Amino acid sequence: MRTARRWLQASSALLLPLRCLGCSKSVSTAEHHDGVSLCSLCRMSIDPLPGPRCQRCDLPLGSGLERPTRCPHCAEWPEQLVAACSATALAGAAQRLVRALKYGGWAQLADFMAEQMATLPALTQATATASPAGVGLVPVPTLVSRRRRRGYNQAELIARGLSRRLGHRLCDGLERTGARASQVSLQAEERAANVEGSFR
């Protein structure tokens, strides 16, 4: 099966020139890894966020000498939400990859993203301090209609990739309770209001 897939990829590379998913420029077969075509410049642009960063929400705090005692981005979060972490900023090539995964049918990007996320200190620390049975990865469910249209739930695919790498179990712990408008064009406050009551 794997040999057939490699043969198919090699054949399609001869017929159709490979294009970088980040910038659409031509890429060599050496820049095509595990079904993901990404030129070296776009690959290098997917960098960790700059420091110093908030210990709770992981957003950069700027270059000021004094660190704020209360981060304005996560000050209003519920206390149950202890921390969040990000592999990179959602901009440039990274943003185009997210769009390709969600709207372009590039399901294989989920494993590439899981690979980037698996090295985050917050996740590796959680892995080191807890037994695999004590940590569960819970993907956010999508609407049945969107899953049918895409053919997959991108959050579930990323969680599967993380599960393999970190050794944590995948948990089906959330249920989608209703259809809401797309989050794409909404601001932060509008996004929060849009999803309120959508999961249980």
Side-chain angles (χ1 to χ4, degrees):
M1 183 72 172
R2 192 172 286 178
T3 306
R5 190 181 299 129
R6 283 190 190 134
W7 181 85
L8 187 62
Q9 287 176 348
S11 301
S12 63
L14 289 172
L15 298 172
L16 302 168
L18 294 170
R19 296 279 175 192
C20 174
L21 288 169
C23 65
S24 298
K25 292 180 181 174
S26 295
V27 295
S28 66
T29 51
E31 294 173 307
H32 183 81
H33 305 288
D34 298 323
V36 177
S37 295
L38 202 59
C39 73
S40 54
L41 285 176
C42 285
R43 200 173 286 272
M44 285 190 302
S45 75
I46 304 174
D47 284 333
L49 295 172
R53 301 199 300 269
C54 173
Q55 292 182 346
R56 190 180 187 204
C57 70
D58 207 35
L59 279 177
L61 296 171
S63 57
L65 295 176
E66 292 185 21
R67 290 186 67 170
T69 54
R70 190 173 168 87
C71 175
H73 299 289
C74 59
E76 304 302 320
W77 283 8
E79 62 181 22
Q80 294 88 345
L81 185 50
V82 177
C85 56
S86 304
T88 189
L90 186 62
Q95 187 167 27
R96 288 188 284 275
L97 292 182
V98 169
R99 286 187 165 276
L101 171 63
K102 290 185 73 173
Y103 308 113
W106 287 89
Q108 59 269 48
L109 281 169
D111 204 57
F112 170 77
M113 292 177 185
E115 185 179 358
Q116 310 304 307
M117 296 167 71
T119 59
L120 291 172
L123 292 181
T124 54
Q125 286 166 15
T127 301
T129 58
S131 67
V135 176
L137 299 171
V138 184
V140 176
T142 188
L143 291 170
V144 173
S145 58
R146 286 185 190 147
R147 185 180 187 120
R148 193 179 299 123
R149 193 164 52 244
R150 284 186 190 130
Y152 54 84
N153 173 7
Q154 68 279 359
E156 183 181 337
L157 294 182
I158 293 172
R160 283 185 194 281
L162 281 171
S163 176
R164 283 195 308 275
R165 287 171 172 81
L166 300 176
H168 298 315
R169 60 199 163 95
L170 198 62
C171 304
D172 193 16
L174 284 175
E175 183 180 79
R176 191 73 184 248
T177 59
R180 297 294 172 97
S182 171
Q183 297 276 81
V184 174
S185 60
L186 303 180
Q187 298 300 318
E189 288 183 6
E190 296 172 319
R191 285 172 177 252
N194 189 49
V195 298
E196 189 173 355
S198 294
F199 304 97
R200 69 176 170 219

